[in-house]
Amino acid sequence: MTITPTKTLQIGHLINGEMTSGDNFRDHRDPGRLTEVVARLAVGTPADVDRAVEAAHQAYLSWRTVAPAERAGKLLEAAEVLSGSAEELAPLLVREHGGVLWEAQTDFALGAGVLQHTASLTEQFFVPVEYDDETSFIRIEKMARGVVAAIVPWNMPIVLTMMKLAPALATGNTLVLKPSPFASAALTLALQRMAEKFPAGVINVVHGDGDVGQALTSHRLVRKIGFTGGTETAKHVVKAAADTIKNVTLELGGNDPAIVLDDADIEATLDRMLAGIFTRSGQICFAVKRIYVPREMHDRFVEAMIARVQDYVVGHGLTEGVNFGPLATQAQYEKVRGFIESTRATGAEVVELGRLAEGLDAADGYYVLPHIVADVEHGSEIAGCEQFGTIIPVTAYDDEEQVIAWANDSEYGLGSSVWTSDPERGLAMASRIEAGSTFINTHSFESLDLRMPFGGIKQSGLGREFGEAGLAAYAEDHAIRLLK
C-alpha cells in the first residue's frame, strides 16, 4: 500500500511568535517523486535574521529569570506536542527528505526523548557547588549565555534540532534556528506548535541560504552556536564566530569503522550491523562507513552480507515494504554515483544488489541500489571518505595491531564499533579507538543512549551533546567568592 501525498504547503519564518513570509519562496520537491512539490519555503534575508535575533534577545532577558523547574516543565509540555504531531508530520517529513516512514517516526520519538531527558536533569544541574572554609565562601553558579544560533541538516532534522533546543532553553537561553532547505516544513510546523508553550521570541526559525547562515553565525547578539553538518561548512561557521568569540558546538562528518573480530558470529553481527549501514540510505553521520574483517573471514562475511542485501527493496518512503528510500538531494545522488563509478574504475569488485519497488522508475527520484565493495585496500578513496550513501567497503586485515592502526588512520573520529563474542575483548579494543563513541556489537540508532555524551574528535567536531555534557555546553560557570 502507498500512502497518498497531501497538498503542497507554504512555509514561512517563525519570528517572535508569529509566522511571517516575504516575497521570495522556493519550491521543494519530493526526492522520491521529483514531479511533486512538497512545500513552498520562504527564502529569508539577513534582515529577517536580525529581526529574529533581536526578538530572541528580548525574550532572553526575561526567560533567563524563569526558575529551572518551570523551564523543565515547559520542555515536558513541548515533548508532548512533538509526540502528538508525529502521526501527522512524519509522512510530510518523508516526502521532504526521502526517508522511510519508520525512520521519520523514529526522528520524532528521539526528539521527544531528548526533551524529556533534558528536563529531568535541569533542576539538579542548576544546584550551585559551594565550598566554605575558614578563609572564604565560594559558590559556583550556572547562568545562561544568551541567544543561541542553531543550524541543522536534513537527514534527522527533528532530533538534531532538539539536541540544541532542549539544552539551550533548559539553561535559560533563547533560540534562532536555520533549518536545511531540504527538510524545513515538518520541522517548522512542529516548532510553531511547540513555541506556543513558551513566551514569544524564545523559539524562532529563519529559512534561507548561505547568506542567512552567515548573518546568523556572525550576529553580534548571538553568544552560542550549535551546528550539525559537514566539516567544510563548519569551517565557515567557526570563522564567522571568531570576530565576537562565540562558543560553538560542532557535530560533523564521520567515517566510522566497524571492526569485526575473529570470534564474532557472522550472522548475529549482520543482524545488527546492516541497520547501521543502510538506514536513511546510509545518510547518517555515525553510520557504518567502512568494515574491517579478519582475512580468513572476509569471503564468508561478504557472501553472507550479499545474501541478505540482495533481497532489499528500494522505493518511496511511504510505500510499504521498502528497506530504504532515495537519496535526499541531487548533489548527494551525483556524489554517490560518482563514488560507485570511480571505485569500479579501479578494478574493485563492486556488487550492486536489491531491486526497485514494483512499478517504480529509477528516474522518478534519486534512487541508488545498495552496493557492497569487497576486498577494499585500506587507503583507497572509497574507504577513506564519508560516502553518505548506499555503498559500503569491506577490507580484510591480518592482525589486531593493523586494524587498530587502520581504524585510527582517518581525519574523522565520530563513531566506531567492535564486533565480538567476548565482551572483555571488545572493551579492550574499544579503548584503543580514536572516536567520540565506540559501540560494542551495535552501531545504529539503537546504539545511542541519552546518558552518553555524543560528538566527535579530530575533524568530526567540537564539544558534546546529550545529558549533562550537553547542558554544560549551553551554560556559563559563574564563580563567586566571599573573602572572610
Side-chain angles (χ1 to χ4, degrees):
M1 182 184 75
T2 300
I3 299 176
T4 303
T6 56
K7 64 180 181 180
T8 300
L9 300 168
Q10 184 162 295
I11 304 296
H13 315 297
L14 175 61
I15 299 176
N16 203 29
E18 297 182 359
M19 291 296 290
T20 66
S21 55
D23 299 326
N24 192 10
F25 284 85
R26 174 192 292 120
D27 288 348
H28 177 58
R29 295 182 179 274
D30 184 335
R33 297 187 183 121
L34 293 173
T35 58
E36 294 183 5
V37 176
V38 178
R40 301 190 69 240
L41 306 172
V43 180
T45 66
D48 295 316
V49 171
D50 192 57
R51 289 193 298 116
V53 174
E54 290 284 354
H57 179 67
Q58 291 303 313
Y60 157 73
L61 298 177
S62 56
W63 178 246
R64 66 180 176 179
T65 68
V66 173
E70 185 177 344
R71 295 199 297 258
K74 292 294 184 182
L75 288 182
L76 292 176
E77 293 179 28
E80 291 183 7
V81 171
L82 189 62
S83 294
S85 299
E87 183 176 359
E88 175 191 353
L89 296 182
L92 172 61
L93 182 56
V94 168
R95 296 178 64 222
E96 290 187 85
H97 69 12
V100 297
L101 187 57
W102 77 262
E103 293 167 349
Q105 291 168 335
T106 298
D107 198 1
F108 276 87
L110 290 173
V114 169
L115 291 167
Q116 293 164 343
H117 185 68
T118 304
S120 73
L121 301 175
T122 301
E123 283 190 78
Q124 183 60 39
F125 178 77
F126 277 94
V127 174
V129 175
E130 296 182 347
Y131 303 95
D132 194 359
D133 58 31
E134 294 180 356
T135 62
S136 64
F137 171 78
I138 296 173
R139 183 169 64 216
I140 303 171
E141 303 174 337
K142 295 286 194 300
M143 64 182 187
R145 293 182 183 274
V147 178
V148 171
I151 300 177
V152 298
W154 41 260
N155 56 344
M156 295 291 288
I158 306 299
V159 66
L160 291 172
T161 294
M162 298 309 135
M163 287 162 65
K164 295 148 187 62
L165 180 148
L169 271 54
T171 50
N173 307 289
T174 53
L175 187 85
V176 180
L177 171 76
K178 179 192 177 299
S180 165
F182 302 106
S184 296
L187 175 59
T188 301
L189 293 174
L191 289 171
Q192 180 186 14
R193 299 170 186 179
M194 292 167 57
E196 294 174 359
K197 300 296 182 180
F198 298 86
V202 171
I203 299 175
N204 305 272
V205 181
V206 181
H207 306 282
D209 297 317
D211 59 336
V212 167
Q214 173 69 24
L216 183 57
T217 53
S218 61
H219 199 286
R220 61 185 177 83
L221 291 177
V222 169
R223 299 309 315 152
K224 165 76 182 182
I225 300 171
F227 173 85
T228 298
T231 300
E232 291 305 311
T233 303
K235 295 176 184 178
H236 295 289
V237 171
V238 173
K239 290 175 183 177
D243 285 343
T244 49
I245 316 297
K246 304 181 194 304
N247 182 277
V248 296
T249 296
L250 307 174
E251 194 265 284
L252 310 178
N255 187 16
D256 289 20
I259 300 174
V260 181
L261 300 186
D262 56 13
D263 63 355
D265 181 289
I266 291 177
E267 297 298 335
T269 295
L270 289 172
D271 283 344
R272 291 185 175 181
M273 186 187 288
L274 285 173
I277 299 171
F278 294 114
T279 295
R280 282 299 287 114
S281 307
Q283 300 169 119
I284 298 175
C285 55
F286 72 103
V288 176
K289 305 293 198 317
R290 47 192 170 124
I291 304 173
Y292 294 101
V293 182
R295 192 168 301 279
E296 65 273 15
M297 290 175 61
H298 174 273
D299 291 352
R300 287 184 290 124
F301 184 90
V302 171
E303 288 170 5
M305 194 174 180
I306 288 173
R308 290 172 179 242
V309 178
Q310 68 183 359
D311 293 328
Y312 278 19
V313 179
V314 181
H316 193 279
L318 295 181
T319 300
E320 290 186 357
V322 302
N323 294 91
F324 58 82
L327 299 179
T329 70
Q330 183 178 359
Q332 195 60 32
Y333 173 82
E334 293 175 352
K335 178 181 177 182
V336 173
R337 293 301 318 179
F339 281 139
I340 293 169
E341 295 310 315
S342 63
T343 303
R344 278 204 179 105
T346 67
E349 182 185 356
V350 182
V351 184
E352 182 178 79
L353 298 161
R355 61 180 174 83
L356 293 177
E358 186 176 352
L360 180 67
D361 186 339
D364 290 343
Y366 303 127
Y367 294 103
V368 180
L369 292 174
H371 291 70
I372 296 172
V373 190
D375 201 16
V376 177
E377 289 188 11
H378 174 73
S380 63
E381 178 192 45
I382 195 62
C385 68
E386 182 182 28
Q387 308 96 351
F388 225 60
T390 55
I391 178 170
I392 183 71
V394 183
T395 297
Y397 69 88
D398 295 305
D399 56 59
E400 291 186 6
E401 293 302 318
Q402 182 184 63
V403 75
I404 286 292
W406 284 355
N408 292 338
D409 182 23
S410 173
E411 63 184 7
Y412 296 108
L414 186 57
S416 56
S417 57
V418 178
W419 302 80
T420 176
S421 61
D422 183 342
E424 293 303 318
R425 189 179 177 196
L427 288 167
M429 286 285 287
S431 295
R432 301 177 66 191
I433 298 175
E434 297 171 357
S437 300
T438 300
F439 313 112
I440 300 173
N441 295 335
T442 179
H443 197 148
S444 63
F445 286 145
E446 72 173 6
S447 310
L448 301 177
D449 189 305
L450 296 178
R451 295 170 296 181
M452 294 174 60
F454 182 76
I457 65 173
K458 304 187 225 182
Q459 292 195 40
S460 285
L462 297 172
R464 294 293 182 268
E465 297 182 296
F466 289 166
E468 291 188 8
L471 281 168
Y474 287 82
E476 298 277 13
D477 283 328
H478 183 199
I480 302 169
R481 185 185 186 209
L482 169 65
L483 187 62
K484 296 180 180 179

